[in-house]
PDB file of all heavy atoms in Angstrom:
ATOM      1  N   THR M  58      -9.368   8.598 -30.371  1.00 97.00           N
ATOM      2  CA  THR M  58     -10.133   9.005 -31.550  1.00 97.00           C
ATOM      3  C   THR M  58     -10.649   7.795 -32.320  1.00 97.00           C
ATOM      4  O   THR M  58     -11.804   7.768 -32.759  1.00 97.00           O
ATOM      5  CB  THR M  58      -9.258   9.879 -32.472  1.00 97.00           C
ATOM      6  OG1 THR M  58      -8.774  11.015 -31.739  1.00 97.00           O
ATOM      7  CG2 THR M  58     -10.059  10.356 -33.671  1.00 97.00           C
ATOM      8  N   LEU M  59      -9.807   6.768 -32.457  1.00 98.00           N
ATOM      9  CA  LEU M  59     -10.221   5.578 -33.203  1.00 98.00           C
ATOM     10  C   LEU M  59     -11.391   4.863 -32.542  1.00 98.00           C
ATOM     11  O   LEU M  59     -12.324   4.428 -33.224  1.00 98.00           O
ATOM     12  CB  LEU M  59      -9.040   4.614 -33.343  1.00 98.00           C
ATOM     13  CG  LEU M  59      -7.967   4.987 -34.361  1.00 98.00           C
ATOM     14  CD1 LEU M  59      -6.844   3.962 -34.367  1.00 98.00           C
ATOM     15  CD2 LEU M  59      -8.562   5.117 -35.763  1.00 98.00           C
ATOM     16  N   VAL M  60     -11.357   4.733 -31.216  1.00 98.00           N
ATOM     17  CA  VAL M  60     -12.458   4.020 -30.568  1.00 98.00           C
ATOM     18  C   VAL M  60     -13.762   4.785 -30.730  1.00 98.00           C
ATOM     19  O   VAL M  60     -14.846   4.175 -30.841  1.00 98.00           O
ATOM     20  CB  VAL M  60     -12.139   3.762 -29.074  1.00 98.00           C
ATOM     21  CG1 VAL M  60     -12.275   5.009 -28.228  1.00 98.00           C
ATOM     22  CG2 VAL M  60     -13.042   2.660 -28.520  1.00 98.00           C
ATOM     23  N   GLN M  61     -13.692   6.123 -30.799  1.00 97.00           N
ATOM     24  CA  GLN M  61     -14.900   6.903 -31.041  1.00 97.00           C
ATOM     25  C   GLN M  61     -15.398   6.727 -32.479  1.00 97.00           C
ATOM     26  O   GLN M  61     -16.605   6.628 -32.731  1.00 97.00           O
ATOM     27  CB  GLN M  61     -14.635   8.381 -30.752  1.00 97.00           C
ATOM     28  CG  GLN M  61     -14.349   8.703 -29.296  1.00 97.00           C
ATOM     29  CD  GLN M  61     -15.543   8.464 -28.395  1.00 97.00           C
ATOM     30  OE1 GLN M  61     -16.692   8.492 -28.838  1.00 97.00           O
ATOM     31  NE2 GLN M  61     -15.286   8.220 -27.121  1.00 97.00           N
ATOM     32  N   VAL M  62     -14.464   6.680 -33.435  1.00 98.00           N
ATOM     33  CA  VAL M  62     -14.846   6.435 -34.829  1.00 98.00           C
ATOM     34  C   VAL M  62     -15.486   5.057 -34.970  1.00 98.00           C
ATOM     35  O   VAL M  62     -16.542   4.895 -35.605  1.00 98.00           O
ATOM     36  CB  VAL M  62     -13.623   6.550 -35.757  1.00 98.00           C
ATOM     37  CG1 VAL M  62     -13.973   6.086 -37.176  1.00 98.00           C
ATOM     38  CG2 VAL M  62     -13.118   7.992 -35.793  1.00 98.00           C
ATOM     39  N   PHE M  63     -14.843   4.058 -34.366  1.00 98.00           N
ATOM     40  CA  PHE M  63     -15.369   2.692 -34.464  1.00 98.00           C
ATOM     41  C   PHE M  63     -16.758   2.587 -33.836  1.00 98.00           C
ATOM     42  O   PHE M  63     -17.597   1.801 -34.303  1.00 98.00           O
ATOM     43  CB  PHE M  63     -14.420   1.715 -33.769  1.00 98.00           C
ATOM     44  CG  PHE M  63     -13.060   1.620 -34.408  1.00 98.00           C
ATOM     45  CD1 PHE M  63     -11.993   1.057 -33.728  1.00 98.00           C
ATOM     46  CD2 PHE M  63     -12.847   2.096 -35.694  1.00 98.00           C
ATOM     47  CE1 PHE M  63     -10.749   0.964 -34.317  1.00 98.00           C
ATOM     48  CE2 PHE M  63     -11.589   2.016 -36.294  1.00 98.00           C
ATOM     49  CZ  PHE M  63     -10.547   1.447 -35.593  1.00 98.00           C
ATOM     50  N   THR M  64     -16.997   3.354 -32.782  1.00 97.00           N
ATOM     51  CA  THR M  64     -18.315   3.350 -32.145  1.00 97.00           C
ATOM     52  C   THR M  64     -19.389   3.800 -33.122  1.00 97.00           C
ATOM     53  O   THR M  64     -20.474   3.198 -33.211  1.00 97.00           O
ATOM     54  CB  THR M  64     -18.299   4.266 -30.910  1.00 97.00           C
ATOM     55  OG1 THR M  64     -17.353   3.764 -29.962  1.00 97.00           O
ATOM     56  CG2 THR M  64     -19.672   4.329 -30.265  1.00 97.00           C
ATOM     57  N   GLN M  65     -19.109   4.844 -33.872  1.00 97.00           N
ATOM     58  CA  GLN M  65     -20.082   5.332 -34.846  1.00 97.00           C
ATOM     59  C   GLN M  65     -20.245   4.375 -36.016  1.00 97.00           C
ATOM     60  O   GLN M  65     -21.338   4.237 -36.569  1.00 97.00           O
ATOM     61  CB  GLN M  65     -19.660   6.717 -35.354  1.00 97.00           C
ATOM     62  CG  GLN M  65     -19.760   7.815 -34.323  1.00 97.00           C
ATOM     63  CD  GLN M  65     -21.171   7.938 -33.767  1.00 97.00           C
ATOM     64  OE1 GLN M  65     -22.151   7.888 -34.502  1.00 97.00           O
ATOM     65  NE2 GLN M  65     -21.273   8.092 -32.461  1.00 97.00           N
ATOM     66  N   LEU M  66     -19.153   3.692 -36.397  1.00 97.00           N
ATOM     67  CA  LEU M  66     -19.223   2.784 -37.533  1.00 97.00           C
ATOM     68  C   LEU M  66     -19.870   1.448 -37.192  1.00 97.00           C
ATOM     69  O   LEU M  66     -19.942   0.568 -38.057  1.00 97.00           O
ATOM     70  CB  LEU M  66     -17.821   2.565 -38.115  1.00 97.00           C
ATOM     71  CG  LEU M  66     -17.427   3.468 -39.302  1.00 97.00           C
ATOM     72  CD1 LEU M  66     -18.343   3.260 -40.495  1.00 97.00           C
ATOM     73  CD2 LEU M  66     -17.401   4.926 -38.901  1.00 97.00           C
ATOM     74  N   THR M  67     -20.337   1.286 -35.960  1.00 97.00           N
ATOM     75  CA  THR M  67     -21.196   0.135 -35.677  1.00 97.00           C
ATOM     76  C   THR M  67     -22.575   0.333 -36.292  1.00 97.00           C
ATOM     77  O   THR M  67     -23.334  -0.633 -36.431  1.00 97.00           O
ATOM     78  CB  THR M  67     -21.367  -0.064 -34.157  1.00 97.00           C
ATOM     79  OG1 THR M  67     -21.971   1.112 -33.597  1.00 97.00           O
ATOM     80  CG2 THR M  67     -20.031  -0.326 -33.480  1.00 97.00           C
ATOM     81  N   GLY M  68     -22.895   1.590 -36.615  1.00 96.00           N
ATOM     82  CA  GLY M  68     -24.206   1.894 -37.170  1.00 96.00           C
ATOM     83  C   GLY M  68     -25.260   2.165 -36.127  1.00 96.00           C
ATOM     84  O   GLY M  68     -26.447   2.335 -36.453  1.00 96.00           O
ATOM     85  N   ILE M  69     -24.855   2.270 -34.859  1.00 97.00           N
ATOM     86  CA  ILE M  69     -25.835   2.395 -33.784  1.00 97.00           C
ATOM     87  C   ILE M  69     -26.646   3.682 -33.891  1.00 97.00           C
ATOM     88  O   ILE M  69     -27.858   3.684 -33.665  1.00 97.00           O
ATOM     89  CB  ILE M  69     -25.129   2.304 -32.406  1.00 97.00           C
ATOM     90  CG1 ILE M  69     -26.159   2.185 -31.287  1.00 97.00           C
ATOM     91  CG2 ILE M  69     -24.211   3.496 -32.187  1.00 97.00           C
ATOM     92  CD1 ILE M  69     -26.965   0.910 -31.312  1.00 97.00           C
TER      93      ILE M  69
END
Side-chain angles (χ1 to χ4, degrees):
T58 303
L59 284 179
V60 75
Q61 294 294 335
V62 171
F63 296 164
T64 298
Q65 291 303 317
L66 265 299
T67 60
I69 190 66

